[in-house]
Each structure stands twice: as C-alpha cells, then as structure tokens.
Amino acid sequence: MDEGNTGTAQAPDISQMSFEQALVALEQIVQQLERGDVPLDQSISLYERGEALRAACQQRLDAAQARIEKIVTGADGRPAGTRPLDADG
C-alpha cells in the first residue's frame, strides 16, 4: 500500500477486504492520525475511513462469534456435545 496516498478516493472497497486487510488498514490510519502530521481535512477523511473499517471489522467479529460453538458439559463435567454460542441454557 502507498502510505503517501491517504485519500479515500482510491482506497480499496471495504466490503471487498478480508478482516485481516481491514485491520491492517485501520492500524495504518490510526498511526497516521497519532503522528498528527496530516492536514485537518485529510485527518477528517482518515477518521471517517477508520470508523468505516472499525465497523466492518466489528461486524465480521460479531458474525464469527455467532458461528462459534461452545462445549456443553454433562452432569459429570465432561464435554457432552456442542451447541451454538448464543443458544439459551
């Protein structure tokens, strides 16, 4: 990625990015904002892009969590099977 080009016009479409790619892009934006060496208008654009990346990452994490199954223990404390993480009980 070209770190000198921080405009969002040529930035990859977030929906086409993997979780890992979105996370790396978000980390790069955070680093740029923390340095404080970008103009105000560019900082605002970076912040908006960062928020969109954060939301996309959170959505993907939530979706992954919904698929995780947790181990159900029997009366003897041993694993008795699995069920969806969000199942009652």
Side-chain angles (χ1 to χ4, degrees), residues 18-38:
S18 70
F19 173 81
E20 292 77 10
Q21 290 170 325
L23 189 57
V24 167
L26 179 56
E27 289 170 349
Q28 290 173 344
I29 287 173
V30 169
Q31 290 171 0
Q32 287 178 301
L33 290 173
E34 285 178 343
R35 282 195 313 259
D37 60 354
V38 293

Side-chain angles (χ1 to χ4, degrees), residues 17 28 38 52 54 68 77 88:
M17 299 172 82
Q28 290 173 344
V38 293
R54 184 213 57 81
I68 294 172
D88 295 329

Side-chain angles (χ1 to χ4, degrees), residues 68-81:
I68 294 172
E69 293 183 341
K70 69 178 182 180
I71 296 174
V72 179
T73 55
D76 62 357
R78 292 191 168 163

Side-chain angles (χ1 to χ4, degrees), residues 18 61 67:
S18 70
L61 286 173
R67 294 191 318 251

